[in-house]
Amino acid sequence: LFFWRPWCYIGKNGAPRPRGRAAGKGWNGMVLYIIRHGDPDYENDTLTPAGEKEAEALGARMAAQGLDRIYTSPRGRAVKTSLPTCRAAGLSGTVEDWMTERDEYMLRPDLNGPDAAQAGYTFSLREGVRAARDFCQDGQRAAYIKEVAASSDAFLARHGYRREGGLYRVERPNSLRIACFCHGGFGAVWIAHLLGMMPAMGQLALNLHTASVTRFTFAEAWQSGYAPARLDTLNDITHLISAGLAACP
């Protein structure tokens, strides 16, 4: 368990408050929140009573973020987690089928086996991730992970930021605040892709807490016409800690 918040401090009731230019109205850049669902009842694809409390705490936290759009996985546990935030923001959630969870993301690799020994990738700003070799050589898994990367790129292009290599060309600069309610395995794969990692590394390296918030900002860098996917917070659960729903790590 970990969370990272390099540019914020915690205000009243555990609400995050940005520092510096991020606090001003002139701050330019699109903000993307990747949010894992609350504590799940997997059998019924919904939330446990503890998960419902996490969703309420999350809604109270996100009410202060000035959201413009809310998207959710089609899975019931993600949709239900989004409801308090939708009510607080006065918005309806839009289902994005590509944000669903799939078992293929959670395959457990044999880290002592030959596939893991040969796993790796190369990266450049011009071309992004290349020559990726997963630590699980499963054709269906590879296809699903490739689909997540392509769907992420299409999603962000719809919102004005088109991926080119390891950066995003700013086609329609905006200050939209977008929340996406999804899953642990999916979210880890997506985060890795945004960071310029081989997407499969997310499943190996990231353990997203229930109802955690990860935030990226897309803002043009040095008048270049390009924006990096800048990670502001990762796996943040300060709202759960403030509500007594999680222990401070």
Side-chain angles (χ1 to χ4, degrees):
L1 172 66
F2 58 92
F3 60 88
W4 181 38
R5 181 179 296 280
W7 292 304
C8 295
Y9 67 92
I10 306 304
K12 292 178 65 177
N13 301 321
R17 298 186 181 277
R19 287 178 173 165
R21 291 199 306 162
K25 292 183 179 179
W27 179 249
N28 181 35
M30 185 178 76
V31 176
L32 173 68
Y33 297 93
I34 298 175
I35 302 169
R36 188 187 175 196
H37 58 72
D39 187 59
D41 173 352
Y42 285 119
E43 183 177 358
N44 297 299
D45 190 24
T46 187
L47 300 179
T48 66
E52 292 178 0
K53 292 179 181 178
E54 289 178 338
E56 291 294 338
L58 182 60
R61 179 239 176 97
M62 297 306 295
Q65 304 310 307
L67 295 178
D68 297 294
R69 299 178 188 176
I70 295 175
Y71 298 97
T72 78
S73 154
R75 302 273 184 154
R77 54 192 182 272
V79 172
K80 192 163 186 177
T81 300
S82 75
L83 294 180
T85 297
C86 288
R87 289 195 296 269
L91 298 171
S92 298
T94 299
V95 170
E96 292 278 329
D97 288 337
W98 69 279
M99 293 182 185
T100 193
E101 188 77 293
R102 291 187 169 113
D103 290 340
E104 285 75 14
Y105 302 145
M106 273 70 74
L107 289 177
R108 294 185 179 182
D110 177 5
L111 295 180
N112 294 306
D115 288 339
Q118 298 178 46
Y121 64 100
T122 62
F123 173 84
S124 70
L125 280 181
R126 182 177 294 275
E127 298 186 39
V129 172
R130 295 178 298 153
R133 181 179 174 85
D134 197 352
F135 43 79
C136 288
Q137 292 300 303
D138 178 280
Q140 192 173 31
R141 169 186 162 89
Y144 282 145
I145 289 179
K146 185 176 180 179
E147 179 185 331
V148 169
S151 297
S152 168
D153 295 348
F155 177 79
L156 291 169
R158 278 167 32 207
H159 293 87
Y161 295 82
R162 184 172 301 279
R163 186 155 181 140
E164 293 185 4
L167 296 170
Y168 292 83
R169 177 171 288 281
V170 182
E171 295 187 333
R172 298 188 308 280
N174 63 74
S175 298
L176 290 173
R177 292 182 172 240
I178 299 169
C180 297
F181 290 80
C182 49
H183 306 268
F186 167 86
V189 168
W190 190 12
I191 290 166
H193 176 63
L194 294 175
L195 290 175
M197 299 165 60
M198 180 173 73
M201 281 296 297
Q203 182 257 326
L204 184 66
L206 297 177
N207 181 24
L208 299 180
H209 195 284
T210 53
S212 63
V213 177
T214 295
R215 169 180 157 151
F216 285 89
T217 297
F218 296 80
E220 183 179 5
W222 304 294
Q223 298 181 326
S224 63
Y226 288 94
R230 193 192 69 207
L231 180 63
D232 298 324
T233 64
L234 175 64
N235 208 22
D236 183 11
I237 58 167
T238 49
H239 50 293
L240 301 184
I241 295 170
S242 296
L245 300 175
C248 188

